[in-house]
Amino acid sequence: MSHPKLFIPGPVEVSAKTYEAFCRPMVGHRSKAFQELYAAVQPGLQTLFGTRQPVFLCTGSAWCVMEAAIRNLVRQKVLVCMSGAFSDKWFDVALKCGKAAEKLQVEWGRAIKPEAVREALARGGFDAVTLIHNETSTGTMNPLREIAAVVREFPDVILITDVVSSFTVVPTPFDDLGADVMLAGVQKALALPPGAAVFTVSERAFARATEVKDRGYYMDFVEFKKNAESNMTPTTPSISHLYALQSKVDDILTEGLEARYARHAVTNQMVRSWAVANGFEMFPEPGYESVSLTCIRNNREVDVAAVAQWMKTHANIVIDQGYGKVKGKTFRLSNMGDENEATVGALLSAMDRALAALA
Ligand SMILES: *Cc1c(COP(=O)(O)O)cnc(C)c1O
């Protein structure tokens, strides 16, 4: 029997082609073969990020880079935009790194507004902002472009953006936005096995990093930059991830970025329409719904755990029962990665059967 298919918002289903790439034989990480592999993936990754800066491979999950950005770049105080589980946690992480941090917090499901960011930064004392573009726990997409424009009104403020669950789902052009760090884990929108992250850093941020003490070693941005000049990583990386990334970047550029964005928009709309047709409401504030996943408010008060169990048993599909404090009050269906109209259609017809069976 085939494995249960993941429609949770990460990790998501990994294609046979990606697994095959992941399992290729090893090369030495200081070998010419590695340097060639690294160099071969660079242009594609730069296209996906919309940048001329080098794109780095981190052997660690997204949090590795999220923490590193704080350690490398915050001297004075970081403004943490908080609107859900991941963005809320970034505040604690900043404190654990020994940095001064302040909250810009909204209720789960609400979006961060550019005016609020401007108001906070205008009070002064900040030298960095953290922003999660797509807050996966609440299925809410923040207005990245507008917020980035506001941060750029403050030349000394570094903008750290997490695009973990929006990368290649919607455009997030790094250079154009004027962001300073952009990072993505690989097990969400890129549909790779978990365990690595990709990120890019602006010249302004490199300059800042050189002035910050206690950057540590493993995730020192300056070390990454130095090693990238010879197409290498500071430490032995997950070479398997680099193979898988090469395969995935090829897939994405073959499909075409615009077609990929359009595919996500269509499949996401299918899920939203299904939810509304079945009497459910969206959890996010109207106008800020994610395109990567749908966080559905359980206003019908169905037994979410029972629905998830039915899906697993009868459809061999895993859905998410809601994150943290909104578990059961919401549930989430992902359309990230390789999903298309046929596979999302199959998910939704299984959901129909589940709701009918449990009615
Ligand atoms: C999943 C996720 C993370 C954390 O990823 P890890 O791989 O667990 O480190 C961070 N930010 C967002 C938006 C996420 O969806």
Side-chain angles (χ1 to χ4, degrees):
M1 188 169 138
S2 62
H3 63 271
K5 181 164 178 177
L6 301 182
F7 276 97
I8 58 174
V12 303
E13 176 78 1
V14 177
S15 74
K17 176 175 180 283
T18 299
Y19 273 130
E20 207 174 296
F22 198 85
C23 291
R24 281 173 57 188
M26 287 303 107
V27 292
H29 69 294
R30 300 297 182 218
S31 70
K32 190 150 181 298
F34 178 83
Q35 289 174 301
E36 284 168 3
L37 170 66
Y38 186 103
V41 188
Q42 265 306 298
L45 285 174
Q46 287 172 310
T47 301
L48 303 192
F49 273 100
T51 188
R52 302 168 73 152
Q53 292 296 101
V55 176
F56 302 128
L57 174 72
C58 160
T59 298
S61 75
W63 271 113
C64 198
V65 187
M66 292 163 81
E67 175 171 310
I70 299 284
R71 290 194 66 183
N72 275 265
L73 300 170
V74 179
R75 274 178 319 193
Q76 287 168 273
K77 185 165 60 166
V78 57
L79 179 69
V80 181
C81 299
M82 299 161 72
S83 58
F86 294 104
S87 49
D88 287 1
K89 192 167 169 185
W90 220 342
F91 179 80
D92 300 329
V93 170
L95 297 184
K96 284 182 188 205
C97 291
K99 306 288 185 174
E102 201 175 302
K103 301 178 176 181
L104 194 171
Q105 191 163 26
V106 298
E107 226 178 282
W108 282 30
R110 312 287 300 179
I112 303 290
K113 301 294 161 55
E115 310 80 60
V117 176
R118 183 184 290 112
E119 216 169 276
L121 291 180
R123 291 203 307 274
F126 297 102
D127 63 356
V129 174
T130 62
L131 176 72
I132 290 188
H133 179 208
N134 190 63
E135 180 42 87
T136 318
S137 63
T138 66
T140 307
M141 219 169 231
N142 289 309
L144 174 61
R145 181 169 290 281
E146 290 78 3
I147 293 170
V150 163
V151 177
R152 285 286 57 87
E153 293 167 16
F154 302 84
D156 296 333
V157 177
I158 293 283
L159 173 60
I160 304 164
T161 54
D162 163 327
V163 295
V164 172
S165 56
S166 56
F167 189 60
T168 74
V169 171
V170 296
T172 57
F174 179 73
D175 291 355
D176 197 34
L177 290 167
D180 295 298
V181 175
M182 185 172 276
L183 69 108
V186 296
Q187 79 276 25
K188 307 269 172 96
L190 289 176
L192 262 51
V198 285
F199 67 107
T200 189
V201 176
S202 71
E203 286 307 320
R204 177 175 32 230
F206 284 125
R208 167 74 61 85
T210 59
E211 294 168 7
V212 174
K213 280 199 285 188
D214 302 325
R215 302 191 299 275
Y217 167 65
Y218 191 68
M219 285 301 297
D220 179 0
F221 288 177
V222 180
E223 283 283 338
F224 270 88
K225 188 177 190 222
K226 207 164 62 191
N227 278 273
E229 282 159 15
S230 42
N231 293 309
M232 287 194 283
T233 48
T235 62
T236 317
S238 171
I239 296 168
S240 302
H241 275 99
L242 201 51
Y243 286 135
L245 211 46
Q246 182 182 38
S247 164
K248 179 52 68 181
V249 169
D250 275 351
D251 294 348
I252 294 173
L253 297 179
T254 301
E255 178 180 20
L257 268 175
E258 291 305 323
R260 185 175 173 87
Y261 301 147
R263 172 166 59 80
H264 283 88
V266 167
T267 52
N268 182 254
Q269 191 54 57
M270 286 171 68
V271 182
R272 284 194 218 176
S273 302
W274 173 87
V276 171
N278 282 280
F280 290 108
E281 295 164 4
M282 296 296 119
F283 182 67
E285 176 178 358
Y288 298 92
E289 300 89 347
S290 170
V291 185
S292 319
L293 71 143
T294 307
C295 185
I296 298 164
R297 184 188 299 280
N298 184 17
N299 52 288
R300 277 181 54 183
E301 296 185 6
V302 299
D303 184 343
V304 169
V307 171
Q309 187 55 54
W310 192 98
M311 290 292 282
K312 180 88 184 296
T313 309
H314 300 279
N316 210 20
I317 282 175
V318 183
I319 65 160
D320 174 84
Q321 303 179 34
Y323 197 107
K325 66 184 179 189
V326 292
K327 184 169 183 177
K329 297 185 182 128
T330 64
F331 57 100
R332 298 177 303 166
L333 301 173
S334 165
N335 59 285
M336 283 186 265
D338 303 326
E339 303 311 330
N340 56 37
E341 288 176 61
T343 62
V344 171
L347 162 71
L348 298 176
S349 68
M351 286 293 291
D352 282 336
R353 283 181 279 130
L355 291 180
L358 297 167

